[in-house]
């Protein structure tokens, strides 16, 4: 593998297009996007992958229900995911569909490789099967009354010839990996759960089906289709050209980005990633991803999970339209409100409160007050000073910025989104308090112009630093802020430029007269 120092590979799940994308899907994709943008801000060569997981019985059934062939069904549905990612500014580098021919070619080769190695063998499956989860269960794992341990629905007794993957063979290696690298599975709650699960012993798993045909055919036994997880999990490497690259150049992407730096997944699919995917990679003699992070669920107050099978999902587009908010507001809300590894209760009240208080009041007001003052006190809107008059308050603010930046970086490096936003807000809140304390309008009326200029300059610098650090979270708003304060130079939008420049190197600001309100307050009376 190549020197990966300057590359970063982050993945979001490939979602089932068996229903419209919802806020839960958006949550994970936004998190992955924030990390991708953050790493790009730090100068990494980033690959962000997502896509759709289009095979399996559920999809075949949905297509039948709609009276179309599966191909037509998945074409329409996967487009809906792409459309939503466009609205939400998900800057993916590649969108993989498991029906893409290059992916199917690789899955066939991977299956054959594992078979030839003796890690896949043919046998006979007799047992309980959950159709909605597309998962087999042993009697002991199913509840007494034959209900699915994952979704609680009824399991069906099924008998069929099937191929099996020797998962049991890899239990010790997986446990050793966990022991050597406790940060491999995060957060700690997921790590402990996975460890316990493997310690209890692993059974071989069924990896082919004969009862439906919508999937990748097993190349040497066309009666079988590759059962969902080998097909789905392989996407992380097939997207890079593994077993499908037509040239050395095409394969260079694989050597450049694999192993992944982090797979973001919901905690319910952690087992497939932290156990099955790991075993497949070991069997293929490939390096393992550096981290698998299982995020929590969006729940409703009564504790039910937002999920398409429960029919209680919230559409991000509806939120944007009904509340007349920007995609940035949704991005901010999701990552600020719910600490990433925990479950979180979604409510419309918390949505409105977050936006009104953090975005409209704190951030929006800071920018709008500062730019209004400059436009009022400087007829041309230009803030171009020669010298700074730094007092104790200003020095304190300058050190707050540099501390907040370090904290932000440490927290984002460990995927603590909400906490890293708090670190940025410590600057925003302190800047607002500073305005109250130094009362620039009094400096103006007492003609203390040199001090006034310093105050306004420091405020602009704080706003610029905040806008830089917010690029990963609310990219469109950061750009709007830059243009409102007249910053067009790329050099003043970089991570390293997120610091207050002193007298040696003063930044020139020219405030734009046309001001757009960054985050209008949501007036609940006007929401249907
Ligand atoms: O599992 N809260 O696809 P999927 C938070 N195709 N996140 C949620 C959520 C909720 N209520 N509901 C869904 C699959 N998600 C497989 C993945 S990857 C190789 C294959 C998010 O359409 C969360 O990230 O069921 C979860 O893991 C993902 O959507 C599942 O999407």
């Amino acid at each position: 593998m190549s020197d990966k120092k300057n590359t970063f590979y982050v993945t979001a799940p490939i979602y089932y297009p068996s229903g419209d994308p919802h806020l839960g899907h958006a949550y994970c994709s936004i998190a992955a996007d924030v990390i991708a943008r953050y790493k790009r801000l730090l100068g990494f060569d980033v690959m962000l992958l997502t896509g759709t997981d289009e095979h399996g019985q559920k999809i075949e059934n949905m297509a039948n229900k709609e009276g179309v062939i599966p191909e037509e069904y998945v074409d329409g549905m996967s487009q809906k995911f792409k459309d939503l990612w466009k609205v939400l500014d998900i800057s993916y580098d590649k969108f993989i569909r498991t029906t893409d021919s290059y992916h199917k070619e690789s899955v066939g080769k991977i299956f054959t490789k594992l078979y030839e190695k003796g890690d896949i063998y043919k046998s006979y499956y007799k047992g309980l099967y959950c159709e909605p989860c597309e998962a087999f269960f042993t009697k002991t794992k199913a509840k007494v009354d034959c209900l699915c341990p994952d979704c609680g629905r009824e399991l069906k007794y099924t008998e069929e010839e099937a191929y099996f993957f020797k998962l049991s063979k890899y239990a010790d290696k997986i446990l050793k990996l966990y022991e050597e690298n406790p940060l491999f599975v995060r957060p700690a709650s997921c790590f402990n759960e996975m460890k316990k699960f493997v310690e209890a012993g692993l059974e071989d798993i069924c990896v082919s089906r004969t009862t439906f045909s919508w999937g990748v055919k097993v190349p040497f036994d066309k009666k079988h289709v590759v059962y969902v997880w080998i097909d789905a999990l392989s996407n992380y490497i097939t997207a890079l050209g593994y077993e499908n690259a037509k040239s050395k150049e095409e394969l260079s992407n694989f050597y450049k980005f694999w192993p992944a730096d982090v797979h973001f997944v919901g905690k319910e699919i952690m087992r497939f990633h932290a156990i099955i995917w790991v075993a497949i990679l070991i069997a293929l003699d490939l390096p393992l991803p550096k981290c698998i992070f299982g995020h929590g669920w969006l729940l409703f107050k009564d504790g039910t999970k937002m999920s398409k099978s429960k029919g209680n999902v919230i559409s991000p587009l509806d939120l944007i339209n009904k509340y007349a908010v920007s995609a940035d507001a949704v991005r901010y809300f999701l990552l600020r409100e719910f600490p990433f590894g925990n479950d979180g209760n979604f409510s419309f009240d918390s949505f409105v409160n977050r936006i009104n208080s953090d975005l409209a009041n704190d951030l929006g007001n800071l920018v709008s007050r500062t730019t209004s003052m400059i436009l009022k006190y400087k007829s041309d809107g230009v803030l171009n000073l020669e010298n700074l008059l730094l007092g104790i308050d200003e020095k304190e603010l300058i050190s707050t910025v540099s501390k907040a930046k370090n904290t932000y970086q440490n927290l984002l490096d460990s995927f603590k989104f909400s906490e890293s936003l708090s670190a940025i807000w410590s600057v925003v809140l302190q800047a607002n308090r500073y305005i109250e304390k130094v009362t620039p309008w009094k400096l103006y009326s007492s003609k203390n112009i040199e001090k006034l200029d310093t105050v306004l300059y420091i405020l602009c610098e704080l706003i610029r630093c905040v806008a830089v650090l917010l690029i990963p979270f609310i990219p469109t708003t950061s750009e709007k802020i830059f243009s409102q304060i007249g910053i067009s130079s790329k050099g003043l939008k970089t991570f390293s430029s997120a610091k207050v420049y002193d007298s040696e190197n003063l930044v020139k600001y020219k405030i734009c007269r046309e001001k757009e309100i960054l985050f209008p307050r949501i007036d609940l009376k006007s929401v249907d």
Side-chain angles (χ1 to χ4, degrees):
M1 292 291 131
S2 66
D3 176 9
K4 283 195 33 107
K5 253 189 258 156
N6 203 34
T7 63
F8 196 89
Y9 182 26
V10 46
T11 68
I14 49 169
Y15 303 100
Y16 290 129
S18 53
D20 288 354
H22 60 77
L23 207 60
H25 299 134
Y27 182 48
C28 192
S29 292
I30 292 170
D33 181 63
V34 168
I35 289 300
R37 287 176 185 270
Y38 163 66
K39 291 288 173 179
R40 287 189 201 114
L41 188 64
L42 294 184
F44 283 78
D45 187 352
V46 173
M47 164 91 184
L48 167 58
L49 178 73
T50 188
T52 37
D53 184 2
E54 305 186 355
H55 290 130
Q57 190 151 26
K58 227 187 304 185
I59 302 285
E60 197 176 86
N61 293 349
M62 289 302 293
N64 285 340
K65 217 165 105 186
E66 302 219 341
V68 293
I69 54 169
E71 284 86 345
E72 199 179 322
Y73 176 77
V74 292
D75 279 353
M77 291 304 290
S78 77
Q79 189 57 44
K80 288 192 181 180
F81 281 82
K82 283 188 180 163
D83 291 346
L84 179 63
W85 301 154
K86 188 154 194 236
V87 171
L88 292 176
D89 265 328
I90 308 298
S91 59
Y92 59 79
D93 297 283
K94 184 155 186 163
F95 188 99
I96 185 169
R97 299 180 56 187
T98 51
T99 49
D100 287 334
S101 55
Y102 72 86
H103 172 79
K104 292 197 286 186
E105 177 190 335
S106 304
V107 169
K109 288 188 187 162
I110 290 170
F111 199 95
T112 307
K113 239 184 188 179
L114 295 173
Y115 179 72
E116 284 169 356
K117 224 191 134 190
D119 275 333
I120 282 182
Y121 61 93
K122 196 174 189 171
S123 181
Y124 211 66
Y125 185 81
K126 286 182 187 170
L128 297 163
Y129 180 67
C130 175
E131 199 175 295
C133 295
E134 298 190 17
F136 289 101
F137 296 99
T138 56
K139 268 234 162 81
T140 42
K141 293 231 166 86
K143 289 181 189 156
V144 198
D145 40 1
C146 281
L147 297 183
C148 170
D150 285 346
C151 74
R153 274 173 284 205
E154 206 175 313
L155 297 169
K156 279 188 193 157
Y157 182 78
T158 318
E159 262 190 54
E160 67 182 86
E161 180 189 277
Y163 286 92
F164 285 80
F165 173 63
K166 279 191 190 162
L167 186 62
S168 56
K169 173 177 157 189
Y170 291 99
D172 289 345
K173 284 194 174 146
I174 296 173
L175 278 178
K176 187 162 173 271
L177 164 76
Y178 292 172
E179 247 148 55
E180 284 168 0
N181 186 0
L183 288 181
F184 177 71
V185 174
R186 289 188 238 174
S189 52
C190 280
F191 175 81
N192 295 333
E193 199 188 319
M194 291 304 113
K195 194 160 168 261
K196 251 201 213 147
F197 193 90
V198 184
E199 278 167 352
L202 295 177
E203 288 169 20
D204 293 350
I205 53 161
C206 172
V207 288
S208 81
R209 303 295 315 277
T210 52
T211 50
F212 62 90
S213 57
W214 180 239
V216 180
K217 300 254 178 300
V218 171
F220 49 88
D221 193 348
K222 296 268 160 56
K223 189 166 81 179
H224 289 257
V225 295
V226 177
Y227 173 56
V228 64
W229 284 101
I230 287 199
D231 178 8
L233 291 163
S234 307
N235 92 88
Y236 301 129
I237 50 177
T238 65
L240 300 176
Y242 180 76
E243 291 293 357
N244 62 53
K246 300 285 172 273
S247 63
K248 264 195 177 156
E249 288 72 51
E250 262 187 64
L251 198 59
S252 65
N253 227 22
F254 178 72
Y255 292 117
K256 182 171 168 192
F257 287 110
W258 191 257
D261 291 276
V262 59
H263 292 312
F264 282 130
V265 296
K267 62 181 183 178
E268 80 290 351
I269 53 172
M270 180 51 100
R271 224 192 302 151
F272 302 102
H273 285 78
I275 299 173
I276 301 178
W277 180 224
V278 167
I280 293 173
L281 288 168
I282 301 176
L284 292 172
D285 279 327
L286 289 177
L288 303 178
K290 294 189 187 147
C291 169
I292 306 172
F293 196 105
H295 66 78
W297 290 338
L298 302 188
L299 308 171
F300 291 100
K301 273 196 191 115
D302 62 359
T304 46
K305 183 185 173 198
M306 186 184 297
S307 96
K308 67 189 157 232
S309 59
K310 293 204 172 78
N312 61 356
V313 297
I314 289 172
S315 144
L317 295 177
D318 279 355
L319 267 189
I320 291 175
N321 295 333
K322 280 202 172 159
Y323 289 87
V325 295
S326 58
D328 276 357
V330 175
R331 290 171 64 102
Y332 175 84
F333 163 75
L334 286 173
L335 292 188
R336 177 67 184 92
E337 187 73 14
F338 311 113
F340 197 52
N342 304 351
D343 289 344
N345 283 334
F346 173 86
S347 79
F348 292 101
D349 285 347
S350 58
F351 178 70
V352 171
N353 287 340
R354 265 291 163 207
I355 291 170
N356 281 350
S357 89
D358 297 13
L359 296 178
N361 277 2
D362 301 339
L363 178 63
N365 263 348
L366 173 63
V367 177
S368 131
R369 285 161 103 186
T370 305
T371 51
S372 301
M373 286 191 289
I374 299 175
L375 287 172
K376 190 162 165 197
Y377 305 143
K378 308 278 158 195
S379 56
D380 53 2
V382 174
L383 195 61
N384 189 11
L385 54 171
E386 313 252 290
N387 222 335
L388 289 179
L389 272 184
L390 298 180
I392 189 157
D393 290 326
E394 289 76 26
K395 285 183 184 152
E396 209 177 285
L397 273 168
I398 292 171
S399 102
T400 302
V401 174
S402 83
K403 273 192 219 144
K405 184 178 171 183
N406 282 337
T407 314
Y408 159 96
Q409 190 170 5
N410 289 334
L411 290 166
L412 263 190
D413 282 339
S414 38
F415 316 122
K416 293 196 157 75
F417 300 96
S418 177
E419 297 82 346
S420 64
L421 282 168
S422 276
I424 305 179
W425 250 250
S426 68
V427 178
V428 174
L429 296 176
Q430 204 178 324
N432 275 325
R433 284 196 295 270
Y434 174 65
I435 297 180
E436 300 302 324
K437 186 168 176 198
V438 296
T439 52
W441 45 95
K442 286 188 188 153
L443 296 174
Y444 180 72
S445 56
S446 62
K447 302 214 164 45
N448 192 350
I449 301 304
E450 222 183 333
K451 184 72 193 178
L452 174 69
D453 284 359
T454 294
V455 170
L456 297 175
Y457 174 81
I458 291 289
L459 286 170
C460 282
E461 278 288 81
L462 295 180
I463 289 171
R464 187 180 60 77
C465 294
V466 163
V468 169
L469 300 182
L470 282 174
I471 289 174
F473 290 93
I474 47 173
T476 309
T477 307
S478 285
E479 269 310 318
K480 282 185 188 164
I481 295 176
F482 290 133
S483 81
Q484 289 195 6
I485 56 178
I487 294 296
S488 53
S489 149
K490 279 198 178 135
L492 290 170
K493 300 177 186 174
T494 60
F495 190 70
S496 61
S497 80
K499 61 180 186 190
V500 176
Y501 285 97
D502 58 16
S503 308
E504 307 287 291
N505 229 334
L506 290 166
V507 176
K508 187 175 159 187
Y509 285 99
K510 181 171 186 350
I511 308 304
C512 176
R513 285 213 173 265
E514 281 137 48
K515 277 209 303 175
E516 180 189 346
I517 298 174
L518 294 176
F519 296 101
R521 275 185 73 80
I522 302 171
D523 177 8
L524 270 183
K525 280 186 226 115
S526 64
V527 177
D528 181 4

